[in-house]
Amino acid sequence: MLRSVLRRVLGGGQGWGAGPRRPIQSCSALVYRKHGPDLDQLRMEQWDLPAVGAHSVRLQILAAPVNPADINMMQGTYPILPEFPAVGGNEGMGEVVEVGAGVSSVRVGDWVIPVDAGFGTWRTEAVCDAADLLSVPRDVSLLGASTVSVNPCTAYRMLHDFQHLRPGDTVIQNGANSAVGQAVIQIAAALGLRTINIVRDRPNYEGLAAELKARGADHVMTEDELQRTGLGHILQEVPRPRLGLNCVGGVSGGLVLTSLDSGGTLVTYGGMAKKPLQIPAKSLIFQNISLKGFWMTQWKRNNRKDFHLLQSMVDALCAMLRSGQLTPPTCVLVPFQNYRQAIQATVQPHQCKQVLLMH
Amino acid sequence: MLRSVLRRVLGGGQGWGAGPRRPIQSCSALVYRKHGPDLDQLRMEQWDLPAVGAHSVRLQILAAPVNPADINMMQGTYPILPEFPAVGGNEGMGEVVEVGAGVSSVRVGDWVIPVDAGFGTWRTEAVCDAADLLSVPRDVSLLGASTVSVNPCTAYRMLHDFQHLRPGDTVIQNGANSAVGQAVIQIAAALGLRTINIVRDRPNYEGLAAELKARGADHVMTEDELQRTGLGHILQEVPRPRLGLNCVGGVSGGLVLTSLDSGGTLVTYGGMAKKPLQIPAKSLIFQNISLKGFWMTQWKRNNRKDFHLLQSMVDALCAMLRSGQLTPPTCVLVPFQNYRQAIQATVQPHQCKQVLLMH
């Protein structure tokens, strides 16, 4: 599916290198032609845009983040890879500037985001099928709209699809200060759920804990503390969690697992520690804990035909963004031409999310 | 629930130590009064039986196996523990010798097995509620009937409840020579499923492989071989497995996991290696593998009210026993008074299942 999306976005072979055929517009795009550890091969190039067809639209891309998955895709270590030449970037938002005669789902001036991964959002303009876009309201912030479709959607689905949770129920997560973790805290709070948030011990722990609590975290503790004391006194205030979210793995994932209530589910969506989860048989057999994984890209593939489900999730998240219940993660805004700075910062540890501004 | 079952079986305080109150019958029972590693504390004692009430029946227990869970229960390391004094044994079969006036589900002469764990089957006779019993046909072998309710039921449920499998689909399991593993091979074959069976390398490997193939195993391989070559050529003959069964843990469980098809499920029902499963995050996230546990005791608790579901499973397994599609595991038959020999053999590695014969 990724290849067909790319082909549609790039205009069926009329992109860079194929030579202009009645080009109506061109755009600047960040292009790569091979996989590998060398990120310097990413180049800003001029790309011809195809004419807008009956069912397609032309967008000005306004903002697009640099996510770790974008880097992994360039390196060739991600489970889906593009055809070459490829435009980087999977997430972002644009404004519709031209629509085909047969398009009724969006209008000129609408804000939109791509449905699927693999769009190639690091570009100033794109022509694509109108069916590959979801609408976002214009009264949401640029940052909120351009970063809503990966991390907040992941948090939203994990809170909805794995356990039937009711207001007052508890969720426990590690990597709680990650972009997904911060969205989990806020969406959970909006749903009336309580959160127990595990972070690695660090010099500025108190400041981080205060920041997460300001977002709505009920409890914040370090991995060391959880290992030493378990959930202890926290269980006098909240019920034992039935949902655990893990993006770390190794010991940390095991700590989240053993904190769950009988019949609970541990959902893994990342493996930052690069160490396997250690699962004692008795947790599975006698505590009836289930382990599952979540990957937003696959979820979108599985639900691609249910456009209403996709749009209603984005609408719900945009409503939270508008009301302030959900705030975008702390970001560094980087002018498009300074893209190398954004790429380099993304591969460093403990950096804020980098968002490219195209215009 | 276990305590209430025991109370019903023991006759509401009229058991050993409470002094006889109009005893109608007595029985020999293997009794223990504390938990701990010392298995010698198990003693053969005379136990008074209560009178048969309107809804209860009296059984002669004919045969009862010694399962590892029985030993763990005596040691106090099992998740359910009896009240003291306790009669050992969770599985077995008996013949109805007396029924209460209000009992219609069984008749004198019927063969029966306990519904729940915790019955205390190491005894010559018992009085219990008729609702605590399932019927087995009399044309099933004594060994088959007395060993059907734990291991074959576990195999049956794991093959039915975790993936929708159709004839031709593949199941992979480790510990394939365990009692459950052998039942999995036979029940899977009866269902038209293909099995890949992993065992530890051992001196008599060829003989064991031949024995498992004689039971209906499609493929048998050692852990070392699987680690070295993966499923390799086997996948030219059978589809990649969507269900994995794990009773070992550690490296072996990980090998079964990584052999599964995308969207597959690994069900853990034991942890013989006493080492945790090591689960790479990518198996969960990008292969969408789920991990679950299975415990027959809990399944019976959850489905206690659906008597038809329980009885139909036992009927299906007895039909397989009768037709020879399912054969009891290799057993050593031990006269009841020689119970110490059966207990000692059960705690040794690589011993056949020990079955006590009461009469």
Side-chain angles (χ1 to χ4, degrees):
Chain A
M1 180 192 282
L2 176 59
R3 296 189 172 192
S4 65
V5 169
L6 275 176
R7 210 170 292 124
R8 289 199 299 275
V9 174
L10 300 181
Q14 297 183 38
W16 191 96
R21 282 184 207 166
R22 299 196 309 147
I24 295 168
Q25 301 282 342
S26 75
C27 70
S28 302
L30 292 177
V31 179
Y32 61 104
R33 289 188 165 66
K34 62 176 183 185
H35 295 303
D38 173 22
L39 301 175
D40 282 343
Q41 58 142 323
L42 192 72
R43 294 283 155 78
M44 181 83 79
E45 296 179 359
Q46 287 305 299
W47 206 300
D48 294 338
L49 289 171
V52 171
H55 299 288
S56 62
V57 302
R58 185 161 60 87
L59 314 175
Q60 273 202 338
I61 308 284
L62 301 183
V66 180
N67 288 318
D70 305 330
I71 305 290
N72 296 339
M73 209 183 255
M74 288 170 62
Q75 292 168 327
T77 58
Y78 203 63
I80 55 167
L81 297 174
E83 280 183 343
F84 296 127
V87 177
N90 290 283
E91 191 179 24
M93 65 80 66
E95 182 172 320
V96 176
V97 291
E98 187 180 349
V99 300
V103 172
S104 59
S105 57
V106 292
R107 291 183 297 185
V108 169
D110 280 1
W111 278 11
V112 289
I113 58 175
V115 175
D116 299 302
F119 190 94
T121 51
W122 298 345
R123 49 196 296 158
T124 53
E125 294 206 7
V127 172
C128 70
D129 200 318
D132 291 336
L133 300 170
L134 293 166
S135 296
V136 290
R138 280 195 66 128
D139 56 355
V140 166
S141 74
L142 192 73
L143 270 185
S146 65
T147 60
V148 78
S149 68
V150 177
N151 295 330
C153 283
T154 296
Y156 184 92
R157 292 260 65 95
M158 293 195 301
L159 289 170
H160 281 85
D161 295 350
F162 292 91
Q163 281 278 351
H164 180 65
L165 299 174
R166 281 170 298 202
D169 283 345
T170 314
V171 177
I172 182 169
Q173 63 168 342
N174 60 20
N177 54 322
S178 69
V180 173
Q182 291 182 34
V184 164
I185 290 170
Q186 294 194 303
I187 298 169
L191 295 170
L193 303 171
R194 319 295 295 269
T195 57
I196 303 171
N197 299 279
I198 315 300
V199 295
R200 273 168 297 183
D201 207 1
R202 61 191 72 212
N204 64 343
Y205 167 70
E206 293 302 333
L208 175 63
E211 196 184 303
L212 296 181
K213 285 185 177 172
R215 280 187 183 262
D218 293 285
H219 299 278
V220 182
M221 63 197 299
T222 64
E223 286 175 13
D224 293 347
E225 196 180 344
L226 180 59
Q227 192 154 30
R228 222 170 36 241
T229 66
L231 291 182
H233 63 281
I234 291 179
L235 294 181
Q236 292 167 7
E237 296 173 40
V238 300
R240 192 172 273 281
R242 290 174 43 226
L243 179 66
L245 307 177
N246 164 51
C247 66
V248 180
V251 172
S252 174
L255 288 170
V256 172
L257 176 94
T258 50
S259 300
L260 293 177
D261 201 8
S262 291
T265 301
L266 180 72
V267 182
T268 291
Y269 67 97
M272 292 196 305
K274 299 190 189 304
K275 288 183 184 157
L277 276 164
Q278 308 242 345
I279 311 298
K282 65 182 179 185
S283 296
L284 296 163
I285 303 171
F286 302 128
Q287 299 299 315
N288 191 27
I289 304 293
S290 296
L291 274 80
K292 300 201 168 181
F294 184 78
W295 185 28
M296 197 64 225
T297 299
Q298 188 62 47
W299 185 90
K300 284 181 178 166
R301 281 180 186 165
N302 296 348
N303 295 280
R304 188 62 168 82
K305 287 181 181 164
D306 191 349
F307 198 81
H308 174 72
L309 184 66
L310 288 161
Q311 185 68 59
S312 67
M313 168 173 64
V314 169
D315 289 348
L317 290 168
C318 286
M320 289 185 201
L321 281 165
R322 204 186 296 112
S323 70
Q325 290 176 302
L326 178 64
T327 50
T330 314
C331 294
V332 175
L333 303 180
V334 181
F336 194 33
Q337 63 271 23
N338 298 349
Y339 65 92
R340 285 188 198 282
Q341 168 193 330
I343 301 287
Q344 288 308 321
T346 303
V347 296
Q348 301 300 318
H350 310 303
Q351 292 291 318
C352 294
K353 187 184 282 288
Q354 310 286 310
V355 177
L356 299 170
L357 288 182
M358 276 62 176
H359 298 280
Chain B
M1 181 194 280
L2 176 60
R3 294 189 173 194
S4 66
V5 170
L6 275 175
R7 209 169 292 123
R8 289 200 299 274
V9 174
L10 300 181
Q14 295 184 40
W16 192 96
R21 280 186 207 167
R22 300 197 308 145
I24 294 167
Q25 302 282 341
S26 74
C27 70
S28 301
L30 292 177
V31 180
Y32 62 103
R33 290 189 166 66
K34 62 177 182 186
H35 295 303
D38 174 21
L39 301 176
D40 282 343
Q41 58 142 323
L42 191 72
R43 294 283 155 78
M44 181 82 78
E45 297 181 357
Q46 287 304 301
W47 207 300
D48 294 338
L49 289 171
V52 170
H55 300 288
S56 63
V57 301
R58 184 162 60 89
L59 315 175
Q60 272 200 338
I61 308 284
L62 302 183
V66 180
N67 288 318
D70 304 330
I71 305 290
N72 295 339
M73 208 183 255
M74 287 169 62
Q75 291 168 328
T77 58
Y78 203 63
I80 55 167
L81 297 173
E83 280 184 343
F84 296 127
V87 177
N90 289 283
E91 192 181 22
M93 63 81 65
E95 182 172 321
V96 176
V97 291
E98 188 180 349
V99 299
V103 172
S104 60
S105 57
V106 292
R107 292 183 298 185
V108 169
D110 281 0
W111 278 12
V112 290
I113 59 176
V115 174
D116 298 302
F119 190 95
T121 51
W122 298 345
R123 49 196 296 158
T124 53
E125 294 206 7
V127 171
C128 70
D129 200 318
D132 292 336
L133 300 169
L134 293 167
S135 296
V136 290
R138 279 195 67 127
D139 56 357
V140 166
S141 73
L142 192 74
L143 270 185
S146 65
T147 60
V148 77
S149 67
V150 177
N151 295 330
C153 284
T154 296
Y156 184 92
R157 292 259 66 94
M158 293 195 300
L159 289 171
H160 281 85
D161 295 350
F162 292 91
Q163 280 277 349
H164 179 65
L165 299 174
R166 282 169 298 199
D169 283 345
T170 315
V171 176
I172 183 169
Q173 63 168 342
N174 59 21
N177 55 323
S178 69
V180 172
Q182 293 182 33
V184 164
I185 290 170
Q186 295 194 303
I187 298 169
L191 295 170
L193 303 171
R194 320 294 295 269
T195 56
I196 302 171
N197 299 279
I198 315 301
V199 296
R200 274 169 296 181
D201 205 1
R202 63 191 69 211
N204 64 343
Y205 167 69
E206 294 301 333
L208 175 62
E211 195 184 304
L212 297 181
K213 284 184 177 173
R215 280 187 183 261
D218 293 285
H219 299 279
V220 182
M221 63 197 300
T222 64
E223 285 174 14
D224 293 347
E225 197 181 344
L226 180 59
Q227 193 154 30
R228 223 169 35 240
T229 67
L231 292 182
H233 64 281
I234 291 179
L235 294 181
Q236 292 165 6
E237 296 174 41
V238 301
R240 192 173 273 281
R242 290 173 44 226
L243 178 66
L245 307 176
N246 164 51
C247 66
V248 180
V251 172
S252 175
L255 288 170
V256 172
L257 176 94
T258 50
S259 301
L260 293 177
D261 200 8
S262 290
T265 302
L266 181 71
V267 182
T268 291
Y269 67 96
M272 292 195 306
K274 299 191 189 304
K275 287 182 185 159
L277 276 165
Q278 307 243 344
I279 310 299
K282 63 182 179 186
S283 296
L284 297 163
I285 302 171
F286 300 128
Q287 299 298 315
N288 192 25
I289 304 291
S290 296
L291 275 80
K292 300 200 169 181
F294 184 78
W295 185 28
M296 196 65 225
T297 299
Q298 188 61 49
W299 186 90
K300 284 181 177 166
R301 281 180 186 165
N302 296 347
N303 294 281
R304 189 61 168 85
K305 287 182 180 163
D306 190 350
F307 197 80
H308 174 72
L309 184 67
L310 288 161
Q311 185 68 59
S312 67
M313 168 173 65
V314 169
D315 289 348
L317 289 168
C318 286
M320 288 185 201
L321 282 165
R322 205 186 296 113
S323 70
Q325 291 176 301
L326 179 63
T327 50
T330 314
C331 293
V332 176
L333 303 180
V334 181
F336 194 34
Q337 64 272 23
N338 298 349
Y339 65 92
R340 284 188 199 280
Q341 168 194 330
I343 300 288
Q344 288 308 321
T346 303
V347 296
Q348 301 301 317
H350 310 302
Q351 291 291 318
C352 294
K353 188 183 282 285
Q354 310 284 311
V355 177
L356 299 169
L357 288 181
M358 276 62 177
H359 299 280

